[in-house]
Amino acid sequence: MGSSNRVLLLFDGECGFCQLCVNTGRRLLPYMPAVRAWQFVDLAAFGLTREQAAASVQLIGPDGLRAHGARAVALILALQPLTRWRAAGRLVLAPPLSWAAEAGYRMVSRYRRHLPGRHTLSPH
């Protein structure tokens, strides 16, 4: 991970839609955690299994920060320096919106191979 204070986002490097989402985050958000395809990291070092990493994005950070799926995405928004992004993240973290966000994430995750995006597997 480089620095123990750095937040890391693990995503499916074989998923074109996932790569599209990462690229969009990098373009739109002032802060983006370090991003790595899970296929290129030692998952055991993070206490993750291949199944967990393949099922959804994983957010790992200092002080025991762990999140996956919609919660991971919402936390990235909540970590932004701009108030509007932080507010959006906090809103998505709170029930009942968090429940809807997770249901939506699961639906997108299930059909992600049918969504737009170019297949590119790279370590970054």
Side-chain angles (χ1 to χ4, degrees):
M1 191 156 64
S3 170
S4 61
N5 291 332
R6 188 79 193 264
V7 177
L8 174 66
L9 177 69
L10 298 177
F11 78 106
D12 184 353
E14 295 178 346
C15 169
F17 181 73
C18 303
Q19 183 67 59
L20 178 65
C21 292
V22 165
N23 292 343
T24 300
R26 285 178 171 150
R27 191 176 71 252
L28 295 178
L29 299 174
Y31 165 76
M32 191 67 175
V35 178
R36 299 288 177 265
W38 66 260
Q39 291 88 345
F40 294 103
V41 300
D42 177 8
L43 293 173
F46 297 109
L48 293 169
T49 65
R50 182 180 173 87
E51 292 75 23
Q52 289 170 312
S56 63
V57 294
Q58 303 288 324
L59 191 67
I60 303 161
D63 302 323
L65 172 67
R66 295 286 177 140
H68 62 89
R71 181 171 173 75
V73 175
L75 282 171
I76 291 170
L77 294 177
L79 291 170
Q80 295 303 309
L82 299 176
T83 304
R84 67 177 178 263
W85 289 115
R86 282 196 316 270
R90 288 187 192 119
L91 190 62
V92 175
L93 286 168
L97 194 51
S98 62
W99 305 331
E102 191 58 37
Y105 183 93
R106 291 286 157 232
M107 179 71 76
V108 168
S109 179
R110 182 175 182 183
Y111 296 104
R112 66 188 180 202
R113 303 271 188 238
H114 304 287
L115 297 172
R118 237 184 34 201
H119 169 75
T120 56
L121 183 62
S122 71
H124 300 96

